[in-house]
């Protein structure tokens, strides 16, 4: 097994661990196991091209890093992107110095 092969394996596991939002003890073990199976299956094939696998894993690492950076940038420059429409309206009103009125419940007619 080449040094690049091991480095690619470790880098994909490292990036997946960094991008996970779940605490370490509650993370699913399925993804790292699946990655290990892919690497072992590739290693078991005679005449397998290590450079292609290393390149593909490098692309996957770049994708995971980019996704993490994209989320950080969205949070920084568009803080209202994950709000509900009601929360977004309330935050927009607050930004210009207004408070939204408390929404009343429709009254039932007693007949």
């Amino acid at each position: 097994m080449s040094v690049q092969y091991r480095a690619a394996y470790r880098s994909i596991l490292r990036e997946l661990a960094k991008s996970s939002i779940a605490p370490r003890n509650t993370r699913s073990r399925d993804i790292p196991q699946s990655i290990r199976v892919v690497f072992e299956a590739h290693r078991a094939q005679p005449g397998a091209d290590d450079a292609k696998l290393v390149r593909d894993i490098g692309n996957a690492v770049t994708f995971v890093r980019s996704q993490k950076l994209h989320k950080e940038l969205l949070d920084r420059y568009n803080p209202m992107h994950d709000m509900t429409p009601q929360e977004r309206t309330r935050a927009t009103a607050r930004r210009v110095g207004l408070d939204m009125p408390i929404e009343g419940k429709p009254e039932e007619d007693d007949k």
Side-chain angles (χ1 to χ4, degrees), residues 4 7 13-15 22 38 42 44 56 66 73-74 76 96 101-102 109 111:
Q4 291 178 339
L13 290 181
R14 191 178 315 115
E15 286 302 320
V38 167
H42 180 77
D56 289 345
S66 298
L73 291 173
L74 271 179
R76 182 183 302 166
V96 295
I102 298 172
D109 293 332
K111 292 184 181 179

Side-chain angles (χ1 to χ4, degrees), residues 2-109:
S2 71
V3 174
Q4 291 178 339
Y5 194 76
R6 277 184 276 150
Y9 176 72
R10 288 178 182 161
S11 66
I12 188 70
L13 290 181
R14 191 178 315 115
E15 286 302 320
L16 288 173
K18 285 181 187 177
S19 67
S20 177
I21 57 175
R24 186 175 192 159
N25 58 356
T26 61
R27 287 184 203 151
S28 174
R29 305 262 187 236
D30 295 339
I31 294 174
Q33 286 175 352
S34 297
I35 291 172
R36 183 179 203 97
V37 166
V38 167
F39 272 84
E40 288 175 354
H42 180 77
R43 190 173 56 178
Q45 292 178 352
D49 186 15
D50 284 351
K52 183 179 182 311
L53 180 67
V54 168
R55 186 177 60 245
D56 289 345
I57 295 299
N59 288 339
V61 168
T62 302
F63 176 76
V64 172
R65 282 183 189 152
S66 298
Q67 287 294 102
K68 188 171 70 169
L69 180 62
H70 181 259
K71 184 179 180 338
E72 289 173 8
L73 291 173
L74 271 179
D75 291 342
R76 182 183 302 166
Y77 295 110
N78 189 4
M80 294 191 303
H81 80 280
D82 60 347
M83 292 182 175
T84 64
Q86 291 83 13
E87 291 172 333
R88 191 175 299 123
T89 304
R90 196 171 295 119
T92 302
R94 230 179 293 131
R95 187 181 309 147
V96 295
L98 301 173
D99 281 330
M100 293 291 297
I102 298 172
E103 295 178 10
K105 296 179 183 175
E107 295 181 19
E108 295 180 15
D109 293 332

